[in-house]
Amino acid sequence: MRIIHTSDWHLGQHFYGKSRAPEHQQFLNWLIEQSKSQQIDAIIVAGDIFDTGTPPSYAREMYFDFIAKLHQTQCQLVVLAGNHDSVAMLTESQKILQQLSTRVISAVSNNMAEQVFVLNSLKTEQQAVICAIPFIRPRDIVKSYAGQSANEKQRSLQQAITEHYQVLFEQAQGLSQLNQADGNRLPIIATGHLTTIGASTSESVRDIYIGTLEAFPASEFPAADYIALGHIHRPQKVTKSEHIRYSGSPIALSFDEANTQKSIVIAEFNNGELSSTELCNLPCFQPLAMVKTHLETLAEDIASVVESKSITLKNEDSNIAESLSTESSSVEAKITHDERPAQEKIWLDIEIESAEYLQDLSVRIEQIVKSLPVEVLLVRRSKKSRQQMPSHEKKVTLSELSVQEVFDARMALEPWDSDEQQQRKTRLNSLYLTIAEQTQLVNSSKQSLSEHSEAHSSSTSKTEQK
């Protein structure tokens, strides 16, 4: 059996005012093509299908359209909810999507059959047992008691997650032996959407995991044949283990991921065990670049980064073109490659090492990039420069700070020495995360309503013209 492991699509994301819809559509087209050319039996999406719990209508349409097209290829889909996803929204379409070869696991369930099941290939007689674990919310598996310290809560939560994995894994082992073929047990594929200790994160990944637990020890995972993880956006092995992996996101979700090669994992199983894993690199659908510079060398550094990025993109296009010419690729693959505009603009983040006030900088940057194939999305002073400024001279604008940095700066002013103060810090962190989630949902709803209004106005206008 051959499976694709992917995660963290974040459909519907807006990036400094820019929609990622074109990139996501190109990725989904590419993924369907890979499922055909690589003879894939199933695709596992390990969480964060959407960027918010109330994704815009175009993102939901993209999701359902992908499922319908994938179903036609006889490739199955297993969708796990992540911390960005709405349990209710994913649950409402569960039953109908089962008719399209898609299993959606939106939350921890008391019905073990919803999380542990045998996956039968629609193309061959191959089978595997899926131990499907979505993002785990503390309230689903553990109870808090008054008087518990922060450390006690953390230990309690870690133990509860470990036990949940173990209970499901034991059920999976039973199914694996019961349904064995040719004397070989079925391989067990487990999933997860969480941070593990030692994982390399990026700016777009929230630091807070669940409750008081920031990271889960990889040693606590059960002995599954493969563990498909999501939540971390950089592709990587966990504890150098070939069978425990983060696939990473398909597109760069923050500027510090700009130079990360995005990929999916193709895992193959033979005779009841993992036989190989292969990284399949994704094309870059929208180039991003960071320019770390000084005021004195601003023009030179921008030009250098743009030239370097342009060369990289040309080389990538050449490799794709060569691959298409040597392989018996379908029309869809060629269309996906041709979707990239010839003069695609690079999105830039300009980070300046300067303790001076960045006065009239926008006008200067506009002149520098006027003839370059770029669009500047962010201009900011480096964090190091901001920290080195004397407090009485600091002139930091809010546009240079993330919401997290503002919150952290305020928290740093408080003493957190005693156990009581530590408990208060935990409550405030939890409250902050809740408010951040709610604010994100409100903003997403406003965006969705705005798009709906624009679409309605356009439709009305066309009707009137007729």
Side-chain angles (χ1 to χ4, degrees), residues 6-7 9 11 21-33 66 249-251 263-264 282 285 336 339:
T6 177
S7 72
W9 293 358
L11 300 180
E23 299 165 75
H24 278 130
Q25 188 59 65
Q26 290 176 77
F27 160 66
L28 294 176
N29 293 345
W30 178 89
L31 189 59
I32 287 175
E33 182 54 35
F66 169 78
S249 59
I251 65 174
S263 59
I264 57 173
L282 275 87
F285 303 114
T336 301
E339 283 174 353

Side-chain angles (χ1 to χ4, degrees), residues 22-151:
E23 299 165 75
H24 278 130
Q25 188 59 65
Q26 290 176 77
F27 160 66
L28 294 176
N29 293 345
W30 178 89
L31 189 59
I32 287 175
E33 182 54 35
Q34 292 303 310
S35 74
K36 295 178 185 176
S37 63
Q38 299 281 0
Q39 293 295 306
I40 300 301
D41 297 292
I43 296 175
I44 296 176
V45 189
D48 283 353
I49 295 87
F50 297 103
D51 193 54
T52 72
T54 55
S57 57
Y58 76 81
R60 295 195 295 272
E61 183 179 350
M62 203 177 287
Y63 168 67
F64 291 122
D65 183 62
F66 169 78
I67 290 173
K69 288 179 178 177
L70 187 68
H71 172 65
Q72 295 172 3
T73 70
Q74 290 191 305
C75 178
Q76 298 193 73
L77 182 65
V78 179
V79 174
L80 289 304
N83 58 305
H84 282 250
D85 297 311
S86 163
V87 172
M89 200 211 79
L90 289 181
T91 301
E92 66 187 9
S93 58
Q94 268 180 332
K95 290 185 178 180
I96 193 168
L97 292 184
Q98 282 187 9
Q99 306 306 312
L100 296 174
S101 312
T102 298
R103 297 284 291 257
V104 178
I105 297 87
S106 57
V108 172
S109 173
N110 291 326
N111 181 3
M112 202 171 293
E114 291 184 8
Q115 288 189 253
V116 182
F117 51 88
V118 175
L119 188 71
N120 298 294
S121 172
L122 300 177
K123 300 175 181 177
T124 67
E125 295 181 356
Q126 298 297 314
Q127 296 176 303
V129 178
I130 306 296
C131 192
I133 300 174
F135 173 69
I136 299 174
R137 289 169 172 80
R139 63 176 178 271
D140 294 334
I141 59 170
V142 70
K143 292 181 179 180
S144 295
Y145 299 96
Q148 278 185 310
S149 67
N151 287 336

Side-chain angles (χ1 to χ4, degrees), residues 22-23 26 284-287 313 317 335-346 373:
E23 299 165 75
Q26 290 176 77
C284 176
F285 303 114
Q286 168 60 58
L313 293 172
D317 282 346
I335 291 174
T336 301
H337 171 246
D338 292 340
E339 283 174 353
R340 178 185 287 174
Q343 291 295 322
E344 188 173 38
K345 288 190 174 181
I346 302 168

Side-chain angles (χ1 to χ4, degrees), residues 196-210:
T196 56
I197 292 174
S200 174
T201 62
S202 58
E203 288 180 357
S204 55
V205 176
R206 290 178 185 154
D207 291 333
I208 300 172
Y209 167 43
I210 48 174

